[in-house]
Amino acid sequence: ALDSDPSGVTATTREGTVNTIYDFGFYRVVPDVTPVITAVPNVMTGITNFNIFVKVTELLVVPTNGLITVRIPKDTRWVLDGPYDSTLTVLGGTPVNNPVWAYSQNATQHIFTTTATIPAGGFSTFGFKALWDAGQTQGVYTITSQIDSFSGGENRIDNNSDAENLDYFIN
C-alpha cells in the first residue's frame, strides 16, 4: 500500500520509494528509463569498424509514454560508417529496433528519438555501424549515452546516462 504524500513527488511502499505522480487523488507510478551503451569490439587497433548499441530499458514495469531522446556526443576519433539504417532489425547478430528510432544530429551530438512505447519492464535497442580512426595515438576513450530528462514520461532523472571505455592502440 502507498503512504499518503500530497506533494505528488514520491510515495513509499514496503519495497521502498518509487516514482509517482499524484493524479486526481490517486498515485500513479510513472515509467523510468535508463540506457546501456555497448561498443563491439571495444578494443581498437588502428582503423577499426565497430558497432554501437544502445539498449533503453524501462525499469518500473510501467509502459513509456511520449518522446524518448538519446544523445551520444560526437568525437573526432569515430564517425558513423554510412548513414543510420532505419530498416535494420539485426546488427552483428544482435536484434535491434531501428525501425522505431529516428536519427538526427547537431554540431556536437548524434541524436536518436522514438515515440514508440517501451513495454512495462521491457527494452528497445538501436544500433549502428561506426568507424574508429584515432590516427597515431593510443589511450582510452569513454563513449557515453544520455537520455533527455523526462523522456517517455519518467520523472526519475538520476540514472539517465551510461558509458563504456574503448581502449585504442596504434596499428
Side-chain angles (χ1 to χ4, degrees):
L2 296 174
D3 295 333
S4 178
D5 179 1
S7 70
V9 177
T10 61
T12 304
T13 67
R14 283 185 224 109
E15 294 78 30
T17 300
V18 297
N19 300 346
T20 61
I21 294 176
Y22 195 69
D23 188 13
F24 302 107
F26 298 98
Y27 287 105
R28 178 169 51 91
V29 178
V30 297
D32 181 24
V33 289
T34 192
V36 173
I37 189 167
T38 307
V40 180
N42 63 359
V43 176
M44 312 300 174
T45 303
I47 297 172
T48 306
N49 294 90
F50 68 111
N51 296 327
I52 296 175
F53 301 95
V54 177
K55 180 179 182 180
V56 178
T57 302
E58 194 293 310
L59 301 172
L60 290 180
V61 195
V62 179
T64 63
N65 179 18
L67 181 66
I68 299 171
T69 302
V70 179
R71 298 173 189 273
I72 301 174
K74 290 183 176 180
D75 190 274
T76 58
R77 292 167 282 197
W78 68 272
V79 295
L80 269 66
D81 188 8
Y84 174 72
D85 187 347
S86 63
T87 66
L88 208 56
T89 57
V90 176
L91 176 60
T94 299
V96 292
N97 309 103
N98 282 18
V100 301
W101 288 91
Y103 172 77
S104 62
Q105 60 180 313
N106 61 29
T108 60
Q109 300 167 325
H110 300 282
I111 303 165
F112 299 85
T113 56
T114 187
T115 55
T117 299
I118 297 176
F123 61 87
S124 182
T125 303
F126 61 86
F128 56 93
K129 295 177 181 182
L131 181 64
W132 179 267
D133 184 357
Q136 294 299 304
T137 63
Q138 62 185 26
V140 177
Y141 166 69
T142 303
I143 189 167
T144 63
S145 61
Q146 175 76 39
I147 295 179
D148 283 6
S149 296
F150 310 108
S151 281
E154 72 168 7
N155 63 13
R156 178 179 174 203
I157 58 173
D158 62 351
N159 63 345
N160 282 7
S161 63
D162 188 51
E164 179 170 27
N165 287 337
L166 309 181
D167 296 311
Y168 60 99
F169 302 93
I170 300 169
N171 192 7

